[in-house]
Amino acid sequence: MTRVAEQPSALKTFDREGKSQRSVVILGSTGSIGVNALEVVRALAPRFRVVGLSTDRNVNRLAEQVREFSAPAVAVLDQEAAHRFRGLGLQAYGRPVEVYTGVEGLIRLVRETEGELVLSGVVGAGGLKPLLAALKGRKVVALANKEPLVMAGELVIQEARRHGATIIPVDSEHSAIFQCLQGARRDTIRRVILTASGGPFYRRSHLEQITVQEALAHPTWKMGKKITIDSATLMNKGFEAIEAHHLFGLPMESVEVLIHPQSIVHSLVEFIDGAVLAQLSRPDMRLPIQYALTYPDRVETTLPALRLEEAKALTFEAPDFRQFPCLQLALEAGRVGGTSPTVLNAANEVAVAAFLAERIPFTQIAHIVARVLGRHVPRPHPTLEEILEADREARDAAQALVPC
Ligand SMILES: NC(=O)c1ccc[n+]([C@@H]2O[C@H](COP(=O)([O-])OP(=O)(O)OC[C@H]3O[C@@H](n4cnc5c(N)ncnc54)[C@H](OP(=O)(O)O)[C@@H]3O)[C@@H](O)[C@H]2O)c1
């Protein structure tokens, strides 16, 4: 059984004239997903009312967004940046904009604003507590921030169920699966196939010498730095397999990965009668974001249509696990479950930050994650406290492997 939305009753269906409005909070509005989400909101005006926005430190961009969308409340993670934002004295609807700070601020933004829909586009494990707050508040959550599902998938799904909250996937692969599953009985799924572009280093050898600039040059997607590096190591695809396992309630063994460099087929579902359904579109995150924001409706887009006759070929092949050990590590951690994916995610966050700071070579990311995972004794069905403890310990262990 899928655990994502069948029909989120909390949401109004759009009328044909687009007069009914959904109120939306966008967490991480200054990042790649957040900016794309606001482009969708702008393009679909007046269907959405933005009631909350958030950033870590980018208060200049946040201020522009508040002015354009008249957001009455924001959360700024960084205290000093929040102080600078307050100094701007911004108003919305004739009142001072409410400014929340810190992780508690993100939680308050989710709890205290009247957003029916929360789109989470923050990056990393820091999104876990705001996500849990949104689920407790029975919000409909459009989820791009995948790390909480990797580190605490079982707990997140339990919380969604307990509170009757809904999660709609934003990641293009999970959106594709979600779309293929509309109207399908879940016990008829044989397997899902996640497609991966392969990143910039597919078929390339000697990855030790890769520079940060090379790793940040993704061939098809324009994304934030952390997910771009995760895509280059293919850790991102392993994360997505764990994400699919939790979102769609499938065993890890039923989630497979194929390299599809054209990034046109976003994922596929194979059913027990041998039929395979796929979702195709141009690689543009605004499309899955729009689907998540307007679900269960489909609303016309002004973005260019996919022209299959212009795609020279659509190719698929099995990934090379020797070239991309992070994918293997992630799939294995997903199979072990418990706190293993928590440790995988935490060690990876530390290693990717160290690579971006040019303190370790590219290939060291996989070594650090493997060493930290290798020493970890996983706990099954962890509580939130156990997850946070495993996360802390793994970060310390990974940090100890990064040269000063
Ligand atoms: N980008 C994509 O196309 C894409 C596709 C699928 C899934 N995703 C997932 O979506 C999430 C966001 O990715 P992204 O590429 O949009 O990242 P990004 O460009 O780095 O943006 C992250 C956003 O979160 C804020 N932020 C950073 N650290 C934070 C923290 N600890 N707590 C709260 N907010 C924080 C950032 O603020 P600042 O602006 O101040 O840094 C920014 O607003 C990731 O989990 C990623 O895996 C992204």
Side-chain angles (χ1 to χ4, degrees), residues 98-346:
E98 187 78 58
V99 185
Y100 303 110
T101 59
V103 177
E104 193 51 39
L106 282 141
I107 294 171
R108 288 188 66 189
L109 184 73
V110 165
R111 268 203 208 130
E112 295 175 24
T113 50
E114 19 116 39
E116 310 161 78
L117 222 149
V118 175
L119 184 139
S120 181
V122 308
V123 60
L128 177 63
K129 287 182 180 171
L131 170 63
L132 292 176
L135 299 176
K136 273 197 191 112
R138 302 172 55 109
K139 308 279 181 178
V140 176
V141 181
L143 190 62
N145 175 215
K146 64 187 78 184
E147 290 86 355
L149 269 180
V150 174
M151 70 187 285
E154 199 178 288
L155 185 92
V156 166
I157 298 301
Q158 268 171 14
E159 284 297 289
R161 282 196 164 160
R162 179 179 320 162
H163 301 287
T166 300
I167 300 175
I168 303 177
V170 168
D171 225 344
S172 57
E173 294 77 2
H174 306 81
S175 176
I177 295 168
F178 185 47
Q179 294 182 54
C180 292
L181 290 179
Q182 297 304 308
R185 269 207 358 241
R186 304 309 190 247
D187 59 354
T188 59
I189 305 169
R190 185 184 284 156
R191 60 179 179 141
V192 298
I193 301 164
L194 300 172
T195 54
S197 71
F201 308 131
Y202 185 57
R203 291 186 198 284
R204 184 162 155 180
S205 47
H206 305 299
L207 301 186
E208 307 77 21
Q209 307 302 328
I210 296 293
T211 64
V212 170
Q213 280 66 33
E214 286 174 301
L216 286 177
H218 194 280
T220 35
W221 298 98
K222 195 125 194 53
M223 310 175 286
K225 286 184 180 174
K226 196 256 178 188
I227 184 176
T228 304
I229 303 303
D230 288 344
S231 300
T233 60
L234 257 66
M235 180 63 92
N236 182 53
K237 210 47 58 178
F239 281 177
E240 288 177 4
I242 298 173
E243 205 183 342
H245 154 67
H246 290 297
L247 282 173
F248 303 109
L250 296 168
M252 280 298 288
E253 291 69 24
S254 304
V255 183
E256 293 180 23
V257 173
L258 283 181
I259 304 292
H260 167 55
Q262 299 82 14
S263 299
I264 297 285
V265 176
H266 296 297
S267 278
L268 309 94
V269 180
E270 182 182 310
F271 292 90
I272 49 174
D273 61 356
V276 177
L277 297 192
Q279 186 263 338
L280 287 72
S281 69
R282 291 171 53 255
D284 187 327
M285 279 311 292
R286 289 172 292 183
L287 295 168
I289 290 172
Q290 169 167 325
Y291 187 70
L293 291 178
T294 60
Y295 178 82
D297 288 348
R298 282 192 187 270
V299 175
E300 196 161 342
T301 178
T302 52
L303 295 174
L306 170 66
R307 300 191 66 85
L308 275 176
E309 64 275 30
E310 286 170 11
K312 288 188 189 74
L314 299 181
T315 59
F316 302 89
E317 56 190 280
D320 177 350
F321 289 108
R322 277 167 313 164
Q323 195 191 4
F324 296 106
C326 284
L327 176 59
Q328 182 85 59
L329 287 168
L331 295 178
E332 187 51 33
R335 280 191 280 268
V336 172
T339 46
S340 276
T342 316
V343 166
L344 171 91
N345 178 67

